[in-house]
Amino acid sequence: MEYHVGRNNQQLGQFTEEAIREGLFNGQFLKTDLVWTEGMEGWKPVAEVLAIESESPASALPPPPPPLETFSESPSSSTALPPAVPPSYSSGAAPTSNFPTLAVGKPTSGLAIASLILGITSLPTTFCYLGLFIGIAGIICGHIASGAIKRSNGTIDGKGIALAGLILSYIGTLISLLFIAIVAFAIIVADSDNSSTKVAIPEGWPTHADTTPSEGTDVNP
Protein backbone atom coordinates (compact mmCIF):
# COMPACT_ATOMS: atom_id res chain seq x y z
CA MET A 1 0.00 0.00 0.00
CA GLU A 2 1.23 3.49 -0.85
CA TYR A 3 0.68 6.64 1.19
CA HIS A 4 0.79 10.32 0.31
CA VAL A 5 3.19 12.06 2.69
CA GLY A 6 2.85 15.74 3.56
CA ARG A 7 4.59 18.26 5.77
CA ASN A 8 3.78 21.91 6.44
CA ASN A 9 0.90 21.88 3.94
CA GLN A 10 3.19 20.50 1.21
CA GLN A 11 3.10 17.02 -0.25
CA LEU A 12 6.44 15.19 -0.22
CA GLY A 13 5.33 12.44 -2.57
CA GLN A 14 3.82 8.99 -2.62
CA PHE A 15 5.71 6.22 -0.78
CA THR A 16 5.16 2.65 0.29
CA GLU A 17 4.92 1.64 3.93
CA GLU A 18 8.41 0.11 3.83
CA ALA A 19 9.87 3.29 2.33
CA ILE A 20 8.20 5.41 5.02
CA ARG A 21 9.54 3.19 7.81
CA GLU A 22 13.03 3.35 6.30
CA GLY A 23 12.71 7.14 5.97
CA LEU A 24 11.78 7.40 9.64
CA PHE A 25 14.86 5.39 10.50
CA ASN A 26 17.32 7.48 8.46
CA GLY A 27 15.68 10.85 9.22
CA GLN A 28 13.98 11.48 5.89
CA PHE A 29 10.51 11.54 7.52
CA LEU A 30 9.26 12.64 10.91
CA LYS A 31 6.70 11.01 13.13
CA THR A 32 4.64 14.20 12.93
CA ASP A 33 4.45 14.05 9.12
CA LEU A 34 0.94 13.47 7.79
CA VAL A 35 -0.04 10.57 5.55
CA TRP A 36 -3.16 9.76 3.57
CA THR A 37 -4.33 6.95 1.30
CA GLU A 38 -7.58 5.83 -0.21
CA GLY A 39 -10.11 4.71 2.39
CA MET A 40 -8.93 7.19 5.06
CA GLU A 41 -11.19 10.07 6.16
CA GLY A 42 -8.33 12.57 6.28
CA TRP A 43 -4.67 13.19 6.89
CA LYS A 44 -3.22 11.56 9.99
CA PRO A 45 0.25 11.48 11.58
CA VAL A 46 2.64 8.77 10.48
CA ALA A 47 3.04 7.45 14.01
CA GLU A 48 -0.73 6.99 14.37
CA VAL A 49 -1.27 5.31 11.03
CA LEU A 50 1.69 2.97 11.09
CA ALA A 51 1.56 2.42 14.87
CA ILE A 52 5.24 3.13 15.34
CA GLU A 53 5.03 5.58 18.22
CA SER A 54 6.76 3.09 20.49
CA GLU A 55 9.38 2.11 17.92
CA SER A 56 12.78 3.69 17.83
CA PRO A 57 15.75 3.25 15.52
CA ALA A 58 17.53 1.32 18.21
CA SER A 59 14.74 -1.25 18.36
CA ALA A 60 15.34 -2.20 14.75
CA LEU A 61 18.95 -3.08 15.43
CA PRO A 62 19.83 -6.72 16.13
CA PRO A 63 20.60 -7.60 19.74
CA PRO A 64 24.25 -7.37 20.75
CA PRO A 65 26.23 -10.59 20.89
CA PRO A 66 26.64 -12.28 24.25
CA PRO A 67 29.79 -11.39 26.19
CA LEU A 68 32.81 -13.59 25.79
CA GLU A 69 33.45 -16.06 28.52
CA THR A 70 36.61 -15.29 30.41
CA PHE A 71 38.78 -18.12 31.51
CA SER A 72 42.25 -18.37 32.92
CA GLU A 73 44.92 -20.64 31.61
CA SER A 74 47.32 -22.31 33.90
CA PRO A 75 50.97 -22.63 32.92
CA SER A 76 50.59 -26.38 32.83
CA SER A 77 47.79 -26.28 30.23
CA SER A 78 49.67 -24.04 27.79
CA THR A 79 51.29 -25.71 24.82
CA ALA A 80 55.05 -25.51 24.77
CA LEU A 81 56.46 -23.74 21.72
CA PRO A 82 59.31 -25.30 19.78
CA PRO A 83 62.76 -23.87 20.49
CA ALA A 84 63.90 -20.99 18.31
CA VAL A 85 67.35 -22.52 17.85
CA PRO A 86 67.45 -25.05 14.99
CA PRO A 87 68.36 -28.59 15.99
CA SER A 88 71.88 -29.79 15.47
CA TYR A 89 72.68 -32.17 12.65
CA SER A 90 73.66 -35.53 13.97
CA SER A 91 75.34 -36.68 10.78
CA GLY A 92 77.28 -33.46 10.36
CA ALA A 93 75.92 -32.91 6.84
CA ALA A 94 74.39 -29.58 5.94
CA PRO A 95 70.68 -29.55 5.11
CA THR A 96 69.82 -29.87 1.47
CA SER A 97 68.09 -26.93 -0.16
CA ASN A 98 65.02 -27.30 -2.31
CA PHE A 99 66.01 -24.37 -4.51
CA PRO A 100 66.98 -25.32 -8.08
CA THR A 101 70.60 -24.93 -8.99
CA LEU A 102 71.47 -22.49 -11.74
CA ALA A 103 73.44 -23.87 -14.68
CA VAL A 104 76.59 -21.82 -15.20
CA GLY A 105 77.89 -21.70 -18.77
CA LYS A 106 81.45 -22.65 -19.59
CA PRO A 107 83.83 -19.76 -20.32
CA THR A 108 84.97 -19.27 -23.90
CA SER A 109 88.67 -19.21 -24.69
CA GLY A 110 89.92 -15.70 -25.32
CA LEU A 111 92.66 -16.93 -27.66
CA ALA A 112 90.02 -18.69 -29.77
CA ILE A 113 88.12 -15.42 -30.15
CA ALA A 114 91.37 -13.60 -30.97
CA SER A 115 92.21 -16.21 -33.61
CA LEU A 116 88.82 -15.76 -35.24
CA ILE A 117 89.17 -11.96 -35.29
CA LEU A 118 92.69 -12.16 -36.74
CA GLY A 119 91.56 -14.68 -39.36
CA ILE A 120 88.73 -12.43 -40.50
CA THR A 121 91.04 -9.39 -40.58
CA SER A 122 93.72 -11.21 -42.59
CA LEU A 123 91.43 -11.68 -45.61
CA PRO A 124 90.93 -8.02 -46.65
CA THR A 125 94.57 -7.16 -45.86
CA THR A 126 96.18 -9.81 -48.06
CA PHE A 127 97.05 -7.32 -50.81
CA CYS A 128 98.97 -4.91 -48.57
CA TYR A 129 101.41 -7.43 -47.02
CA LEU A 130 99.77 -7.08 -43.61
CA GLY A 131 97.64 -10.15 -44.17
CA LEU A 132 100.73 -12.35 -43.93
CA PHE A 133 101.63 -11.20 -40.42
CA ILE A 134 98.02 -11.06 -39.24
CA GLY A 135 97.36 -14.55 -40.59
CA ILE A 136 100.45 -15.97 -38.87
CA ALA A 137 99.34 -14.40 -35.58
CA GLY A 138 95.87 -15.92 -36.01
CA ILE A 139 97.39 -19.36 -36.67
CA ILE A 140 99.48 -19.15 -33.50
CA CYS A 141 96.51 -18.06 -31.35
CA GLY A 142 94.29 -20.76 -32.85
CA HIS A 143 96.72 -23.59 -32.13
CA ILE A 144 97.36 -22.39 -28.59
CA ALA A 145 93.61 -22.10 -27.95
CA SER A 146 92.92 -25.58 -29.36
CA GLY A 147 95.56 -27.12 -27.11
CA ALA A 148 94.25 -25.33 -24.03
CA ILE A 149 90.68 -26.43 -24.76
CA LYS A 150 91.75 -30.06 -25.11
CA ARG A 151 93.67 -29.96 -21.82
CA SER A 152 90.75 -28.34 -19.95
CA ASN A 153 88.65 -31.55 -20.04
CA GLY A 154 85.53 -29.68 -21.11
CA THR A 155 85.79 -26.75 -18.68
CA ILE A 156 86.64 -24.25 -21.45
CA ASP A 157 84.50 -23.73 -24.53
CA GLY A 158 85.42 -22.34 -27.94
CA LYS A 159 86.65 -25.32 -29.95
CA GLY A 160 84.57 -24.37 -32.98
CA ILE A 161 85.65 -20.73 -32.76
CA ALA A 162 89.32 -21.74 -32.67
CA LEU A 163 88.83 -24.02 -35.67
CA ALA A 164 87.16 -21.25 -37.67
CA GLY A 165 89.96 -18.85 -36.74
CA LEU A 166 92.59 -21.35 -37.90
CA ILE A 167 90.88 -21.91 -41.25
CA LEU A 168 90.52 -18.19 -41.97
CA SER A 169 94.06 -17.45 -40.82
CA TYR A 170 95.51 -20.17 -43.06
CA ILE A 171 93.52 -18.87 -46.02
CA GLY A 172 94.67 -15.30 -45.42
CA THR A 173 98.29 -16.41 -45.04
CA LEU A 174 98.25 -18.49 -48.23
CA ILE A 175 96.68 -15.66 -50.23
CA SER A 176 99.31 -13.24 -48.90
CA LEU A 177 102.14 -15.63 -49.84
CA LEU A 178 100.65 -16.10 -53.30
CA PHE A 179 100.38 -12.34 -53.77
CA ILE A 180 103.98 -11.82 -52.66
CA ALA A 181 105.15 -14.56 -55.05
CA ILE A 182 103.27 -12.97 -57.96
CA VAL A 183 104.77 -9.55 -57.22
CA ALA A 184 108.29 -10.99 -56.94
CA PHE A 185 107.88 -12.89 -60.21
CA ALA A 186 106.67 -9.75 -61.96
CA ILE A 187 109.72 -7.82 -60.74
CA ILE A 188 112.10 -10.53 -61.96
CA VAL A 189 110.44 -10.66 -65.37
CA ALA A 190 110.58 -6.89 -65.74
CA ASP A 191 114.29 -6.84 -64.83
CA SER A 192 115.09 -9.54 -67.37
CA ASP A 193 113.23 -7.65 -70.09
CA ASN A 194 115.29 -4.54 -69.43
CA SER A 195 118.59 -6.45 -69.73
CA SER A 196 117.58 -8.10 -73.04
CA THR A 197 116.90 -4.77 -74.74
CA LYS A 198 120.62 -3.75 -74.75
CA VAL A 199 122.12 -3.58 -78.37
CA ALA A 200 125.22 -5.72 -78.99
CA ILE A 201 128.10 -3.88 -80.86
CA PRO A 202 129.73 -5.97 -83.63
CA GLU A 203 133.49 -6.60 -83.60
CA GLY A 204 135.62 -4.02 -85.41
CA TRP A 205 133.16 -1.22 -84.89
CA PRO A 206 134.53 1.77 -83.05
CA THR A 207 133.36 2.09 -79.55
CA HIS A 208 132.46 5.19 -77.72
CA ALA A 209 135.89 5.30 -76.17
CA ASP A 210 137.58 5.17 -79.61
CA THR A 211 135.52 8.00 -81.08
CA THR A 212 136.01 10.30 -78.12
CA PRO A 213 138.94 12.75 -78.74
CA SER A 214 141.64 12.83 -76.17
CA GLU A 215 142.75 15.93 -74.39
CA GLY A 216 144.96 18.25 -76.45
CA THR A 217 143.98 16.72 -79.81
CA ASP A 218 142.76 19.08 -82.46
CA VAL A 219 139.64 17.69 -83.96
CA ASN A 220 139.63 20.22 -86.84
CA PRO A 221 141.41 19.16 -90.11
Side-chain angles (χ1 to χ4, degrees):
M1 181 181 295
E2 293 185 351
Y3 294 88
H4 295 273
V5 182
R7 182 188 302 167
N8 298 329
N9 297 326
Q10 293 183 358
Q11 292 192 19
L12 302 180
Q14 191 173 359
F15 304 92
T16 61
E17 182 178 351
E18 291 78 6
I20 295 173
R21 291 181 181 275
E22 185 178 356
L24 290 171
F25 179 76
N26 57 29
Q28 181 182 1
F29 301 119
L30 302 175
K31 293 181 180 181
T32 57
D33 291 341
L34 302 178
V35 295
W36 176 86
T37 187
E38 294 181 0
M40 295 177 57
E41 296 180 356
W43 293 82
K44 293 183 180 181
V46 174
E48 181 180 348
V49 174
L50 302 181
I52 56 175
E53 57 272 9
S54 61
E55 293 183 1
S56 61
S59 62
L61 297 176
L68 297 175
E69 296 181 0
T70 58
F71 59 95
S72 60
E73 293 182 354
S74 59
S76 59
S77 62
S78 61
T79 305
L81 297 176
V85 181
S88 59
Y89 304 102
S90 58
S91 61
T96 57
S97 175
N98 294 327
F99 294 102
T101 57
L102 297 177
V104 180
K106 294 183 293 183
T108 305
S109 174
L111 289 175
I113 298 174
S115 175
L116 179 61
I117 295 174
L118 292 172
I120 295 173
T121 309
S122 66
L123 295 178
T125 57
T126 52
F127 302 104
C128 60
Y129 304 103
L130 292 177
L132 177 62
F133 303 102
I134 296 175
I136 293 174
I139 292 171
I140 295 173
C141 292
H143 281 293
I144 296 175
S146 298
I149 293 171
K150 290 180 181 179
R151 292 189 299 270
S152 66
N153 295 325
T155 58
I156 300 177
D157 198 5
K159 182 178 180 180
I161 298 175
L163 180 60
L166 282 173
I167 294 173
L168 295 176
S169 298
Y170 272 115
I171 293 174
T173 303
L174 292 176
I175 294 175
S176 297
L177 291 175
L178 181 61
F179 177 73
I180 293 173
I182 292 173
V183 172
F185 179 76
I187 293 173
I188 294 172
V189 171
D191 190 23
S192 63
D193 290 341
N194 292 332
S195 62
S196 63
T197 55
K198 294 181 180 180
V199 179
I201 300 174
E203 294 182 0
W205 283 34
T207 61
H208 180 70
D210 296 336
T211 58
T212 302
S214 60
E215 294 181 359
T217 304
D218 189 6
V219 295
N220 295 323

